């Protein structure tokens, strides 16, 4: 189920590459379809993990607590100059509780924070999916490093996914926002040519924001990563998560 959700997420971001010239879908008309697909997948993923013993009532309670903490942490950064405080907890929780937990936490955190801040729009399902991939990725990192090596690994992960998140979010609306032309999307040009056009535009307009997001994640992981990991692991042992 986690693989199905991940594949659906990748399709949600990359489908514009395969648009036909006469396609009638738009960024805003597609968003309800995407979120309509995400929510059942998330519910199914949670139910599968409960049936497999990977989640129990204590894990669900932890998911709720971390979702609330992440949702309230998001406005502290507000995305100004790329400063985003919402990924830090998703990265560490995915590391401790696993990829499935991290994927669900990324989605629920962005959904809850959007309701709190009122930042709800066609971008929301894409933000949920992209943040879910951040938590999924941290849960799939090698388990061996501990101490300073683990912090360095998580900091690099946070930095890399800061750029992946920004590029994915920009690509989700670029075909509809920039329009067709020399720097815009051309459904007749083919996937490779459209990717080239997009990366040229994104290199100029989005890399500064992505760099700010990466620096924020590195600083938070390096400064707060060790104590927060200890707290999460202590909670995991006491609750005996599966």
């Amino acid at each position: 189920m986690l693989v199905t959700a991940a594949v659906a997420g990748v399709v949600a971001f990359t489908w514009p590459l395969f648009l036909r010239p006469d396609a009638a879908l738009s960024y805003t008309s597609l968003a309800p379809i995407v979120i309509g697909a995400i929510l059942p997948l998330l519910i199914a993923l949670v139910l599968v993990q409960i049936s497999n013993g990977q989640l129990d009532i204590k894990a669900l309670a932890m998911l709720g607590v971390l979702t609330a903490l992440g949702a309230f942490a998001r406005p502290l950064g507000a995305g100004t100059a790329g400063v985003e405080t919402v990924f830090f907890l998703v990265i560490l929780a995915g590391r401790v509780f696993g990829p499935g937990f991290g994927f669900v936490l990324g989605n629920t955190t962005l959904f809850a924070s959007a309701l709190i801040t009122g930042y709800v729009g066609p971008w929301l399902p894409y933000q949920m999916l992209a943040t879910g991939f951040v938590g999924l990725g941290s849960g799939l990192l090698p388990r061996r490093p501990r101490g300073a090596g683990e912090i360095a690994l998580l900091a690099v992960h946070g930095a890399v996914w800061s750029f992946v998140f920004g590029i994915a979010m920009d690509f989700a609306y670029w075909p509809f926002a920039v329009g067709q032309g020399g720097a815009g999307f051309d459904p007749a040009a083919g996937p490779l040519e459209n990717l080239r056009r997009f990366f040229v535009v994104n290199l100029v307009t989005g890399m500064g924001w992505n760099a700010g997001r990466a620096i924020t994640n590195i600083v938070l992981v390096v400064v707060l990563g060790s104590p927060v990991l200890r707290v999460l692991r202590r909670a995991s042992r006491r609750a005996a998560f599966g």
Side-chain angles (χ1 to χ4, degrees):
M1 183 55 67
L2 181 58
V3 173
T4 302
V7 170
V10 171
V11 171
F13 279 103
T14 59
W15 74 272
L17 285 175
F18 308 102
L19 270 177
R20 300 191 315 273
D22 58 346
L25 287 175
S26 68
Y27 185 54
T28 53
S29 65
L30 182 66
I33 299 175
V34 175
I35 199 165
I38 292 174
L39 293 180
L41 280 175
L42 287 177
I43 294 172
L45 179 59
V46 171
L47 291 176
V48 168
Q49 293 205 326
I50 290 174
S51 64
N52 291 341
Q54 295 174 299
L55 283 178
D56 57 16
I57 189 64
K58 291 175 288 189
L60 288 176
M62 178 61 71
L63 180 65
V65 170
L66 293 178
T67 295
L69 290 175
F72 283 107
R74 189 182 184 192
L76 299 178
T80 304
V83 176
E84 293 274 9
T85 53
V86 72
F87 301 107
F88 164 69
L89 202 54
V90 174
I91 291 171
L92 299 187
R95 173 69 174 173
V96 173
F97 299 115
F101 188 97
F103 183 77
V104 175
L105 178 63
N107 279 275
T108 55
T109 298
L110 264 290
F111 184 75
S113 66
L115 296 182
I116 292 174
T117 60
Y119 195 58
V120 178
W123 52 83
L124 177 58
Y126 298 97
Q127 288 181 330
M128 292 169 59
L129 280 171
T131 310
F133 281 123
V134 174
L136 186 152
S138 65
L140 293 176
L141 290 173
R143 309 306 296 176
R144 184 180 294 265
R146 284 291 190 270
E150 182 178 37
I151 294 301
L153 180 66
L154 292 173
V156 170
H157 172 78
V160 170
W161 273 95
S162 296
F163 284 90
V164 174
F165 177 91
I167 291 171
M169 289 303 304
D170 290 344
F171 185 74
Y173 80 89
W174 168 74
F176 312 105
V178 178
Q180 299 184 16
F185 179 78
D186 183 355
L192 292 180
E193 172 60 19
N194 278 313
L195 279 176
R196 187 195 66 79
R197 293 184 180 199
F198 167 73
F199 279 111
V200 169
V201 173
N202 188 257
L203 185 64
V204 176
T205 61
M207 286 299 145
W209 290 83
N210 296 337
R213 187 179 301 113
I215 292 171
T216 304
N217 283 334
I218 292 173
V219 170
L220 288 175
V221 170
V222 170
V223 174
L224 300 175
S226 292
V228 175
L229 281 173
R230 282 196 297 272
V231 170
L232 293 177
R233 286 186 169 127
R234 187 180 302 120
S236 176
R237 287 192 299 271
R238 290 187 175 182
F241 288 111

